Amino acid sequence: MPTPLSRIPARALVAALLATAFCAQAVAALRPHVPLLLASTVVSLAVEGVLYRWHRGLLSVFAKSHADITVRHVLRDLLLVVALLRLGEQHRETLYTPAVAGLLAFYALHCAIQAVSVLVRRTRTLPVVTRNIDASALRLSPAPPVLLRRPGHRLLVFGLPATAGLLATAATDDPRCAALGIALSLGLGLLGLYDLLVRLLPGRRPAGEREVLEWLDAWLAEYRPTAGLYFSGGASSAYQANMWLEPLARIQGRPVIVLRERFMVQKIGPTDVPILCLPKVSTLMRLEDSSLEVLIHPSNSGKTSQVLRIPTLKHAFVNHGESDKLSSCNPYAKAYDEVWVAGPAARERYALAEVGVEDKDVVEIGRPQLDAVRPREAAQAGGLTTVLYAPTWEGWDGNPGNSSVIEAGENLVRALLADPGVRLLYKPHPLTGSVDPRAGAADLRIRELIRAAGRERSGERPGDNAELALRTQELDRLTTTAVRAGADQVERMLLQSAPEPGRAAAVAAATAAWEEAYWASLPEGEHQVFTEARPALYSCFDRADLLISDVSSVISDFLASGKPYAVANTSGLAEDVFRKAFPTVRAAIVLTPDAAGVPDLLETVRHPEKDELVEARAELKRHLLGPDEPASQVRFDGAVQALCSAAREHRARMAERLAAEAATEIPDQRRSPTPPQPAHPA
């Protein structure tokens, strides 16, 4: 049975259409046929536009096959020249010699522009990338136009007049059209080359590597950072660092954020804390001579070992969340000076895991991020039971018990939607489906189920959303910088300079106002799917009467509210074994993959007198998160200051030892009054 056209991949159709256009152009050139030549060339150019607009992935496939844009463009123009030569008499070879020479000059100019653009890019690739720091002394400037930096786009645009001129000559037999088109292409190329060459002048290009490093040393000496956040990872892992931005900004001293990947500078959330990206190890090592004393690590990475080599720094591992999973007691943690955990449960977890982390190095700091989570008695009350389903992702090890999305997600959602007294909020983990495609597919089905139910239930929307629009505009103004699409890192450094005083407080106030306006804008009782950064997970905590999740840090964090929670058991373990294996489930209602226990769960939430786990949750909260007093932020700051003090003491001891060694007189054999005599042969 033939495959329906709709099922043929779009990329295959585009590739086939481009190949067909070139074949048709070749036939039209070798057996001169002007209408076919015109049509095939136009189609070929149109497909090129489609490739660059919607199918960029196919461009790399062509490049790997040595059929990149330069080859395709040269072939297209070559076939046009062949057609012109074959359309008339032999004397046409002499007639079109200048046009061919001009075309060759244009392609030589294209190569020259590409070479100079590479030089410009290198001068604009600084050894340090900054944000929230005034780096104007480095002669930062706007980036060159995108056309001058992307050879494919440039060749298509600059070469279009030449191709159009050749086509017009083929149609009219007037060589002046080709000459005019080629002249325009040459003119565009010369203008582009001039623009790039000017940027290489000593006063126009950014500071060189040596000058940038000297500036970095001067900035470190002036700012005198005390404690920082160190982070390295992939683009999707930025949330691990972002959850520690606010606690870091509120510590005593002068915080800084140290990154290793250039792209990560823009992935870090809104903050006023200075950000330094130091991609090279040699640049990173300059921190040894700075005032920086402590680095806090929310995750492990291959590049973590590089910064651990700096002897003047103390390092603390804080993780990006605590759960009963093995990743919460990784053996890598023993590489740090201290491991900071929320409460006694994590301390016990490290002791039981026997991964080399000594108990004396474990410090309980609570979870500073949870200080603002509203407790149960302050949560909003309403006629509906608001359920937050926030499953975690599938993880790297393929354990079916990691995430409930695949085996239980749809059953849970259907059971919740079947109850007319439930309002469902769904917020999946951002990495869902990144490892197991089944999780991604299940997540999409769950979203569609909830949205379909939401459309059926959708009640009367608040008439005026002007307040939300105003709050969104204000929050965006404070948290984003208007940067054009073609900006490079140097241009972003120029625009994202030192923040205005008081911006952090303004962002906090604007965020609170936005959340209030956002929740007020939603129809009462309408089911919601949240896949964006806003609203934040903790804002959903405040709106929920019940959480359903998996064994993850989400349930540990939700315990700060004191509200009921349930955990889906997709591990295959019996319930008693499951509870014993994962202490965070101790105060939870355990649900089976078929979601049979959902009605009883909802009954317990609606009738607090039937809730037999109130005391268990309070006790587990203290066990997992530590005491309520002092506040977690205070304990976190205290741990930072204590480790900074330890770092200063270590530096003082090392300085004393080096001074003592320098004072010790060591004989210099080169100045010995009686140099050793050579041995005489026996």
Side-chain angles (χ1 to χ4, degrees):
M1 182 176 179
T3 303
L5 185 62
S6 59
R7 295 180 58 187
I8 299 178
R11 291 175 57 177
L13 285 175
V14 171
L17 186 59
L18 184 62
T20 302
F22 271 113
C23 290
Q25 190 184 16
V27 171
L30 295 175
R31 301 173 63 87
H33 191 282
V34 174
L36 180 59
L37 183 70
L38 295 175
S40 59
T41 304
V42 170
V43 169
S44 174
L45 289 170
V47 174
E48 293 284 3
V50 171
L51 281 174
Y52 278 91
R53 179 64 178 86
W54 291 290
H55 297 283
R56 292 181 178 273
L58 200 56
L59 295 174
S60 62
V61 176
F62 282 129
K64 292 177 181 177
S65 304
H66 299 285
D68 60 10
I69 179 61
T70 303
V71 172
R72 298 196 302 272
H73 207 83
V74 169
L75 178 60
R76 189 181 297 113
D77 287 350
L78 176 63
L79 290 174
L80 288 175
V81 171
V82 170
L84 291 177
L85 295 178
R86 292 182 61 83
L87 280 171
E89 304 297 331
Q90 292 184 356
H91 72 277
R92 295 170 69 92
E93 296 180 3
T94 304
L95 181 64
Y96 288 111
T97 297
V100 173
L103 203 59
L104 293 174
F106 167 72
Y107 282 109
L109 187 60
H110 166 71
C111 294
I113 295 175
Q114 180 59 20
V116 177
S117 70
V118 171
L119 292 177
V120 171
R121 185 175 68 247
R122 289 180 177 177
T123 64
R124 298 180 64 84
T125 304
L126 305 184
V128 177
V129 183
T130 66
R131 191 176 127 195
N132 298 334
I133 298 174
D134 182 5
S136 56
L138 300 179
R139 298 191 300 277
L140 307 178
S141 61
V146 175
L147 277 178
L148 300 181
R149 290 149 49 197
R150 298 179 181 176
H153 292 74
R154 181 176 66 245
L155 188 56
L156 280 175
V157 175
F158 286 8
L160 186 60
T163 303
L166 293 172
L167 272 177
T169 296
T172 63
D173 201 26
D174 186 349
R176 291 176 298 179
C177 296
L180 178 60
I182 294 172
L184 286 175
S185 291
L186 283 171
L188 290 173
L190 288 172
L191 286 175
L193 182 60
Y194 171 79
D195 182 277
L196 292 173
L197 288 173
V198 168
R199 295 174 185 274
L200 291 177
L201 295 175
R204 296 288 300 274
R205 62 173 179 253
E209 181 173 357
R210 180 177 178 180
E211 188 177 350
V212 172
L213 295 179
E214 291 175 351
W215 170 88
L216 173 63
D217 293 339
W219 182 86
L220 289 170
E222 179 184 0
Y223 180 66
R224 297 192 60 78
T226 53
L229 180 78
Y230 178 90
F231 189 73
S232 171
S236 60
S237 64
Y239 73 95
Q240 300 172 355
N242 287 335
M243 67 171 57
W244 287 99
L245 296 181
E246 185 174 349
L248 179 72
R250 294 167 60 187
I251 65 172
Q252 302 177 56
R254 292 169 295 279
V256 68
I257 297 172
V258 180
L259 306 176
R260 302 301 309 282
E261 290 80 21
R262 296 176 183 272
F263 67 83
M264 190 61 71
V265 175
Q266 303 307 320
K267 296 293 182 180
I268 297 298
T271 181
D272 284 359
V273 177
I275 298 176
L276 284 175
C277 178
L278 311 175
K280 294 182 180 179
V281 178
S282 58
T283 309
L284 180 70
M285 291 301 156
R286 303 181 88 88
L287 295 177
E288 181 176 354
D289 298 323
S290 73
S291 61
L292 188 64
E293 297 164 342
V294 167
L295 281 179
I296 301 165
H297 301 256
S299 69
N300 299 309
S301 73
K303 294 181 180 179
T304 300
S305 61
Q306 297 172 350
V307 75
L308 292 178
R309 295 162 52 188
I310 300 179
T312 57
L313 297 180
K314 292 290 185 180
H315 302 269
F317 180 60
V318 294
N319 214 336
H320 51 275
E322 292 192 32
S323 72
D324 293 323
K325 289 186 286 189
L326 292 178
S327 58
S328 291
C329 51
N330 193 309
Y332 199 100
K334 63 187 174 185
Y336 303 94
D337 296 286
E338 292 182 354
V339 175
W340 295 353
V341 300
R347 181 186 294 275
E348 296 170 4
R349 188 182 306 122
Y350 274 109
L352 292 173
E354 297 183 2
V355 293
V357 176
E358 298 185 24
D359 186 71
K360 65 180 180 62
D361 296 328
V362 178
V363 180
E364 298 176 25
I365 63 167
R367 286 278 285 167
Q369 299 88 345
L370 305 179
D371 285 350
V373 173
R374 296 207 306 257
R376 185 176 190 182
E377 57 270 19
Q380 284 192 347
L384 296 174
T385 301
T386 301
V387 181
L388 171 63
Y389 178 38
T392 190
W393 68 303
E394 58 271 22
W396 299 111
D397 57 7
N399 191 326
N402 287 343
S403 174
S404 59
V405 170
I406 298 175
E407 296 189 16
E410 292 174 82
N411 294 334
L412 289 170
V413 168
R414 287 193 176 94
L416 292 167
L417 295 177
D419 190 315
V422 166
R423 181 194 191 191
L424 179 58
L425 310 179
Y426 176 58
K427 192 170 181 64
H429 192 285
L431 293 181
T432 300
S434 59
V435 171
D436 191 338
R438 296 178 303 162
D443 172 51
L444 293 177
R445 292 193 297 269
I446 290 171
R447 296 186 193 186
E448 184 53 38
L449 281 172
I450 297 173
R451 287 170 177 151
R455 288 191 293 268
E456 294 178 2
R457 175 182 283 190
S458 183
E460 183 178 353
R461 289 186 174 274
D464 185 14
N465 279 336
E467 178 70 12
L468 176 61
L470 179 63
R471 297 302 181 186
T472 302
Q473 182 179 7
E474 176 65 11
L475 185 56
D476 288 342
R477 183 187 68 82
L478 290 170
T479 58
T480 59
T481 302
V483 179
R484 64 190 181 95
D488 61 1
Q489 291 173 346
V490 168
E491 184 174 343
R492 289 179 181 273
M493 287 173 60
L494 177 65
L495 297 174
Q496 297 174 329
S497 186
E500 299 178 1
R503 188 181 68 171
V507 169
T511 301
W514 180 89
E515 289 182 348
E516 183 177 352
Y518 175 78
W519 291 107
S521 71
L522 300 178
E524 184 178 354
E526 186 176 80
H527 308 299
Q528 300 293 331
V529 175
F530 303 124
T531 56
E532 303 296 330
R534 302 176 191 162
L537 178 63
Y538 297 153
S539 179
C540 296
F541 282 1
D542 292 339
R543 301 288 166 170
D545 300 306
L546 165 71
L547 168 72
I548 299 179
S549 187
D550 305 315
V551 176
S552 70
S553 61
V554 173
I555 58 178
S556 302
D557 289 352
F558 190 75
L559 277 166
S561 69
K563 291 181 280 192
Y565 70 101
V567 178
N569 179 12
T570 56
S571 65
L573 301 174
E575 180 175 332
D576 58 337
V577 179
F578 183 62
R579 289 184 182 275
K580 185 176 181 180
F582 303 105
T584 51
V585 185
R586 187 187 310 160
I589 295 176
V590 177
L591 297 174
T592 54
D594 60 5
V598 167
D600 291 338
L601 170 64
L602 295 174
E603 185 72 11
T604 300
V605 176
R606 288 166 179 157
H607 300 279
E609 68 276 6
K610 298 182 180 181
D611 187 355
E612 300 176 352
L613 296 171
V614 176
E615 292 300 325
R617 287 196 299 273
E619 189 278 329
L620 184 58
K621 174 187 174 182
R622 290 189 293 270
H623 191 57
L624 291 176
L625 304 177
D628 294 333
E629 297 294 338
S632 294
Q633 180 64 39
V634 175
R635 297 160 64 193
F636 172 66
D637 189 26
V640 172
Q641 303 310 319
L643 197 55
C644 284
S645 178
R648 289 193 295 270
E649 293 173 1
H650 175 262
R651 290 187 180 188
R653 291 194 300 271
M654 293 301 101
E656 290 177 2
R657 193 182 74 179
L658 291 175
E661 291 178 353
T664 303
E665 184 177 352
I666 302 177
D668 189 344
Q669 293 184 355
R670 292 173 299 179
R671 298 182 180 180
S672 175
T674 55
Q677 299 298 320
H680 294 283

